[in-house]
Amino acid sequence: MNLGEDLLTLGILLVVAYVLGRLGKLIGLPSIPIYMIVGLLASPYSGWFPLDFHSADIELIAVFGLILLLFSLGLEFDQEAFFGDAGKLLVSGGSYILINMGAGFAFGMMTGWGAREALVIAGMTGTSSSAIITKLLIELRRLANKETPMILGVTVVGDIFIAVYLAIVSVVLSGKTEIWPIVLQLGIAFLFLVVMFSVARWGGRVVSRLMRTKDDELFTILFFGLAVLFAGIGEIIGVTDAIGAFLIGVVLGASTYRGRIERVAVPLRDVFGAFFFLNFGLALNVAEFGSVIGLVGIAIVMTFVLSLGSGALLARMHQMGVREGLNTAAIFVNRGEFTLILATLSVSAGLDPRLQPFAGLYVLTMAILGPLFTANSEKIGAAFSRRSRAAHPPTRTPERDAMRAEEIALVEAVTHDQKSGDPMVDFISDTYPTPQKKTDKAGQDDRTGDYS
């Protein structure tokens, strides 16, 4: 195709992505599966789209998308949240990772594709999408929820684990068999991680001085250049371009220019990231889905079961209830960009070709089911709590009756003065509305009866 046809094709694909994205928003779908579906429609394997378009035509743009996705993830890394409660978060996040990765590796071994493939499958099925988690928390207005600080903290631990995991996977996929070259490459990888995290932790002021410029154009060129530069360094030393971009994002996020970078980086990430997911969809062949559909089904069931168990465990560890545990499970069930990154690495490493359709179908399905489950988790939790209270009503005791009587006395005292103009009285009046004496179906007074 000539340049005009290339531009025409890209324009049509992006407009189609917009239209499908608007429709997806109506049922709460994130953009990731939408872009993949558009790529799938335009794939030369499908024949469903009237234009012939190949993955190689936008490969470099897709690489920029991958770099900016991981760069933005590093930029949002909350050091204070992690180092302020590192011990508890490491236990919580470590438990979550151990459960999900362990089960994912066991499942990968059961496929019979090989040990390296099992390690990749463990990462695909065992790690949540930080991008989707953050987006859903904002869109569903759950930032103020009781469980949200715990979720964000565990997500931070997951981000650190992803950096370490990718460093290990890159060495495993390199094909080296002699022990000392492997040890050397792992040592370089971990040294790179330690140095970059150390700079982020203690070198924020120095980085801020280096970033100082009032020119927005030059500022944008600088941080984008640094992201591409460190992605190249990561690729050369064997920790992948994704981790190089993530680590420089962590460093720049520690500077005083984090907010300014985000204002420019997020729109760039959204545009280039769309090309990354579109490019992955272009490489998918629907005809290959049949060979992995059974395994994908098992992986989906396993993901939901493990997420429910992990959510309940995390809620219990942080002294939270069933509803918070269900919300936690629903948010962590989401899978997305990291699974596709691993699939891309597996293809370049020459692993079992079934990994790519497995990752594509798994992410397509999970990126639809995950947000739908998350959007309805509070309703499900409320219904479960009501049934639980109905099945196990609280036992009446003199102490609880006395506490309830004190509550009623306080409310009546407040409501008696609610028109006094005192702001504190008005606030308490709004918080504790005037109790109305009424009877339930059994004829019992609500104010002195079962107050579960």
Side-chain angles (χ1 to χ4, degrees):
M1 292 194 300
N2 59 38
L3 179 60
E5 291 175 342
D6 285 345
L7 295 176
L8 177 65
T9 302
L10 280 177
I12 291 175
L13 292 180
L14 292 176
V15 171
V16 171
Y18 164 77
V19 173
L20 294 180
R22 287 291 298 271
L23 295 175
K25 291 293 182 184
L26 297 177
I27 57 174
L29 290 183
S31 56
I32 290 176
I34 302 298
Y35 299 144
M36 290 178 62
I37 290 171
V38 173
L40 196 61
L41 292 174
S43 170
Y45 302 108
S46 67
W48 297 339
F49 207 82
L51 296 174
D52 183 22
F53 200 71
H54 296 277
S55 173
D57 295 329
I58 58 171
E59 188 170 354
L60 182 60
I61 306 177
V63 171
F64 286 153
L66 170 62
I67 289 171
L68 286 171
L69 282 168
L70 270 294
F71 174 78
S72 296
L73 185 61
L75 200 64
E76 295 167 1
F77 181 82
D78 193 339
Q79 295 188 62
E80 298 306 320
F82 174 73
F83 289 106
D85 196 14
K88 193 171 185 179
L89 288 178
L90 284 173
V91 173
S92 302
S95 301
Y96 174 81
I97 292 168
L98 183 63
I99 293 171
N100 287 271
M101 289 290 293
F105 184 77
F107 169 73
M109 292 300 294
M110 288 173 58
T111 64
W113 295 351
R116 293 195 300 169
E117 285 80 359
L119 183 63
V120 172
I121 289 175
M124 289 180 174
T125 60
T127 52
S128 302
S129 168
S130 299
I132 295 179
I133 286 175
T134 305
K135 197 169 186 179
L136 286 174
L137 288 174
I138 294 171
E139 290 181 353
L140 297 176
R141 299 180 179 179
R142 295 188 183 178
L143 291 177
N145 279 20
K146 182 180 179 181
E147 71 277 0
T148 296
M150 173 189 68
I151 290 172
L152 293 176
V154 174
T155 301
V156 168
V157 175
D159 292 342
I160 296 175
F161 170 76
I162 285 173
V164 176
Y165 172 79
L166 275 181
I168 295 173
V169 167
S170 64
V171 174
V172 173
L173 299 187
S174 66
K176 295 179 180 178
T177 55
E178 296 181 9
I179 184 64
W180 289 115
I182 293 176
V183 171
L184 177 61
Q185 188 172 346
L186 275 177
I188 293 173
F190 282 107
L191 179 62
F192 184 51
L193 294 175
V194 170
V195 169
M196 295 299 284
F197 273 110
S198 298
V199 172
R201 182 61 177 164
W202 293 289
R205 291 184 178 180
V206 176
V207 174
S208 297
R209 293 193 191 100
L210 296 175
M211 295 287 293
R212 185 181 302 163
T213 177
K214 295 182 179 179
D215 190 304
D216 289 337
E217 179 182 351
L218 294 178
F219 184 79
T220 303
I221 292 297
L222 175 60
F223 83 74
F224 185 76
L226 287 172
V228 175
L229 172 65
F230 276 84
I233 293 173
E235 188 71 20
I236 289 172
I237 67 175
V239 297
T240 76
D241 50 357
I243 285 306
F246 170 79
L247 291 174
I248 190 60
V250 172
V251 170
L252 296 185
S255 72
T256 57
Y257 294 100
R258 173 180 175 177
R260 186 179 176 188
I261 296 173
E262 283 183 331
R263 284 194 295 272
V264 183
V266 169
L268 287 176
R269 178 202 65 193
D270 292 342
V271 173
F272 285 105
F275 280 99
F276 172 74
F277 299 118
L278 180 70
N279 184 62
F280 190 87
L282 285 168
L284 293 177
N285 186 352
V286 178
E288 296 177 345
F289 285 171
S291 64
V292 296
I293 190 169
L295 290 174
V296 170
I298 296 172
I300 290 170
V301 172
M302 178 186 72
T303 302
F304 273 92
V305 171
L306 290 174
S307 292
L308 288 170
S310 302
L313 175 64
L314 290 174
R316 181 179 292 272
M317 291 174 67
H318 289 259
Q319 290 82 48
M320 297 182 189
V322 174
R323 185 177 300 186
E324 290 81 10
L326 188 60
N327 285 343
T328 301
I331 203 74
F332 279 130
V333 82
N334 290 279
R335 301 292 186 267
E337 70 283 352
F338 186 58
T339 300
L340 302 185
I341 291 169
L342 285 172
T344 303
L345 291 176
S346 70
V347 171
S348 61
L351 298 188
D352 195 301
R354 288 172 291 185
L355 279 172
Q356 189 169 32
F358 173 87
L361 185 57
Y362 177 70
V363 169
L364 274 175
T365 308
M366 291 302 302
I368 293 172
L369 297 180
L372 292 178
F373 179 34
T374 306
N376 292 282
S377 65
E378 291 192 335
K379 296 179 182 178
I380 298 172
F384 182 83
S385 297
R386 285 195 298 269
R387 284 197 295 268
S388 178
R389 287 196 301 267
H392 304 284
T395 304
R396 292 280 304 277
T397 64
E399 291 80 8
R400 295 189 68 174
D401 287 342
M403 290 174 62
R404 181 59 175 167
E406 290 179 3
E407 287 182 15
I408 295 173
L410 173 62
V411 172
E412 290 177 342
V414 169
T415 54
H416 177 73
D417 296 328
Q418 65 182 13
K419 295 183 180 180
S420 65
D422 188 321
M424 182 57 70
V425 172
D426 291 340
F427 171 76
I428 300 176
S429 299
D430 292 336
T431 306
Y432 297 93
T434 306
Q436 301 294 326
K437 182 173 181 177
K438 59 182 180 179
T439 57
D440 59 15
K441 293 181 181 179
Q444 187 178 31
D445 185 348
D446 276 355
R447 292 193 298 170
T448 58
D450 185 0
Y451 46 86
S452 58

